[in-house]
Each structure stands twice: as structure tokens, then as C-alpha cells.
Amino acid sequence: MPIVDPNSGQPLTSPDSAEANAAAPADVIVDIDMSNFQQVVLEGSMQTPVLLDCWAPWCEPCKNLMPILEKLAVEYNGAFILAKLNIEEHQQIAAQLGIRSVPDVKLIMQGQLYDEFQGALPEKQIREWLAKYIQPPEDAPQSPEEQAQAALDAGDPATARGIFEQLSQAHPDHVDYRIDLAGALLAEGNPDRARAILDGLAPEDRDAPKARGVRARLEFGEEAPSAEQLAALEGRDDSEANYLRALRRVADGDYETGLEGLLKLMQRDRAYGDDLARKTLLRVFDALGANHPLTVTYRRRLFAMMY
């Protein structure tokens, strides 16, 4: 299923396998059988890395993954060869390779297995995986995930929501896309749909850091004071007023100001609300993610203050 830009209708990924094959030189994407396996995969990998895509006609994830691999093969312009093996038609090769499930993608270099992955990974993850071994082209386009994030950063959640909706449909087993969709819906001002998606996740996925982060943002929006309530706090400098101002900042996405306000409140009145400022700081860290620069900075400051 091609991913298209919701605004322009132009594809963000290859429309289909046929178009990718048509755009690629004949030796960049190759169908593998007994007659050419030795030449293309084993001997060929001595000169050029080979990405061996083991697939089957009945495999739906294979149909989602293959256009991405073909798109990348064209984009890398000969930096690697995409070798496609239909395990149904060539069971002897599949047995020799130890293929137990598909899709199964193996990177062969210098006649040796360098790395592999199973399942239909998202394009962004495949790009990151490939980049560990093969230099990406300088003019590599953004992946759909990156385009969605860029839209969010630019204040265009509708475009991000459209991309994540299509990615979720194309990769129904990839839970992160559904969580990303919930986040985009929340940014677009649709908390009910966002909550429904989060509530529909399996328990282990609902408790994962990424889903907890989106739910924390959802809850901040519900807990933060309205504009009228905020105006009523004018002139007050007590702990409750400062907490509510910080909460409003967080709900509006001004995380740094909100974190700063919570940290100052913790310094001034640690006992307020049964240590509420510290507990809320931890919830904001959840919302941002462990690797976010603000999380790293303010977690360090929080630790220094406590110890």
C-alpha cells in the first residue's frame, strides 16, 4: 500500500513493485532462484553488499515491506543489490538458509551474513539499520515518519495525522504507528479519538513508555486550567497558582517553561500537594520520552536537587 501526502496526493513511498523495478537498473533488483543464487548472492556480495529479501505470496507483511526495499534499492543506486527470494517457489534454498518465517531480510557482505531482521519494519527503522553498514545517498529523501514529525514540528498536525493513518493501515502490526496517530490526533485537538486508540492497545503496549507519554499529554490537557481560570490567578504567587501556571504551560507544549516552573515550585514548597511538583516532573519526562534533551537536562537537575 503506497503512503501518500494527504495534501498533495503524491506518494511518499513507492506506489508498487512494478514501478520500482521499472525505475531500477536490471542488476539492482534481482529475483533469485537456483540458477543465480551463487552468482548474485555469494559471489556478488564479494563486490557489492546484497540485501536478501525472503518472502512468500501469501505473506501480507511481505507485501508491505517489499515496496520499501525496492524504493531504497533504487535510491541507493547500486550501493547494494536487492535479491528477492520467493520461498514458496524455491523451498530448497529457503531450507538451506534456515528460513522459518517471512519476511526475513539478510544483509550479505563478502559472502558472509552480516546482519538480518524479521518482520515488516517501518521505513525509518530500515534506513537506520542500513546506514550502519552502507553509506546512504547524500540526497536521501525523508521517510514518511520523518515527514510526519516535520509536519508536527511545523504546527501541521493534520498532515501528520494523515500520514500516520496510512502507515497504521499499511502496517497494522506496528503498534508505534497507532501511538503516533494518537499523538497527532491529540495535537490536532481530537482527544477522544486519541484516547480510544490508546485504550484499544494491548495491556503491554498501553504500559510502554511511548503510549504512557501520549496519555500523559492527554491528561495534562484535561487537568490544566482554562484561560478564564488562568486569568483568575493573576497576582497570586502561592504554590497552587504556580503549579497551575506550570501545568498550563506543559499542556500548551511549552515544556521548558513548564518544567522550570515545576522545579522552582519543588524548591520553594516540596510538601505542596504531597510532593506534587516532583511527581508531575516525572510525568512530563514520560510525555517527552527518556532521550528528549529537556528530559535529560531536567532529570539531571532534579537528581542534583534531591541528592
Side-chain angles (χ1 to χ4, degrees):
M1 173 182 177
I3 308 301
V4 300
D5 186 316
N7 293 324
S8 68
Q10 296 301 309
L12 298 177
T13 58
S14 298
D16 54 44
S17 302
E19 288 189 20
N21 277 311
D27 56 352
V28 170
I29 301 177
V30 182
D31 288 315
I32 294 300
D33 56 31
M34 289 297 293
S35 69
N36 64 359
F37 181 84
Q38 176 78 23
Q39 177 187 2
V40 173
V41 178
L42 299 181
E43 297 175 2
S45 68
M46 302 300 292
Q47 304 296 326
T48 304
V50 174
L51 203 62
L52 180 62
D53 175 25
C54 303
W55 66 282
W58 43 260
C59 168
E60 287 301 320
C62 296
K63 296 175 184 177
N64 293 324
L65 177 64
M66 190 177 293
I68 297 175
L69 298 181
E70 291 175 338
K71 170 191 174 184
L72 292 173
V74 173
E75 183 182 303
Y76 272 68
N77 195 30
F80 70 85
I81 304 301
L82 176 61
K84 303 189 298 183
L85 176 69
N86 182 338
I87 66 165
E88 284 290 288
E89 294 182 355
H90 307 290
Q91 297 182 22
Q92 181 179 351
I93 302 176
Q96 291 174 351
L97 292 172
I99 304 299
R100 291 185 171 84
S101 64
V102 288
D104 187 317
V105 179
K106 302 180 184 297
L107 179 63
I108 315 295
M109 299 171 66
Q110 298 293 308
Q112 302 293 320
L113 175 64
Y114 260 62
D115 205 349
E116 60 188 327
F117 68 82
Q118 287 76 40
L121 296 185
E123 181 178 329
K124 185 174 183 289
Q125 286 184 232
I126 298 173
R127 286 182 179 277
E128 293 169 350
W129 180 78
L130 267 178
K132 294 189 294 184
Y133 307 102
I134 305 171
Q135 180 67 36
E138 293 182 1
D139 58 348
Q142 288 183 315
S143 66
E145 299 95 324
E146 291 168 333
Q147 293 191 37
Q149 185 58 54
L152 286 172
D153 294 341
D156 182 12
T159 292
R161 185 255 306 152
I163 293 172
F164 284 130
E165 281 179 338
Q166 294 177 70
L167 287 169
S168 297
Q169 293 168 10
H171 303 275
D173 295 330
H174 189 64
V175 176
D176 274 6
Y177 283 148
R178 280 183 276 161
I179 299 173
D180 288 330
L181 175 57
L185 284 164
L186 185 58
E188 196 179 12
N190 197 335
D192 291 339
R193 277 193 64 196
R195 184 188 299 280
I197 290 173
L198 295 175
D199 290 346
L201 298 175
E204 62 272 19
D205 296 321
R206 286 200 299 269
D207 292 335
K210 189 169 187 176
R212 288 205 317 268
V214 177
R215 191 175 293 277
R217 286 160 48 201
L218 178 65
E219 292 170 350
F220 285 136
E222 294 173 340
E223 297 168 16
S226 66
E228 293 77 13
Q229 292 170 322
L230 202 62
L233 300 174
E234 188 69 31
R236 286 178 53 182
D237 191 32
D238 57 280
S239 295
E240 180 187 38
N242 288 324
Y243 174 76
L244 290 174
R245 289 190 190 102
L247 198 61
R248 184 69 260 172
R249 292 288 194 176
V250 170
D252 290 341
D254 186 0
Y255 293 111
E256 186 166 11
T257 304
L259 286 167
E260 194 67 36
L262 290 167
L263 203 63
K264 287 180 179 178
L265 174 58
M266 187 178 163
Q267 288 175 312
R268 289 176 52 178
D269 187 1
R270 177 73 182 270
Y272 171 72
D274 191 22
D275 204 12
L276 186 57
R278 183 187 63 83
K279 294 175 180 176
T280 305
L281 279 165
L282 298 179
R283 291 174 60 203
V284 179
F285 297 159
D286 244 2
L288 294 174
N291 297 321
H292 193 286
L294 288 176
T295 299
V296 174
T297 298
Y298 279 88
R299 194 185 293 278
R300 187 183 300 120
R301 291 178 59 184
L302 174 62
F303 183 84
M305 184 184 300
M306 293 178 64
Y307 302 102

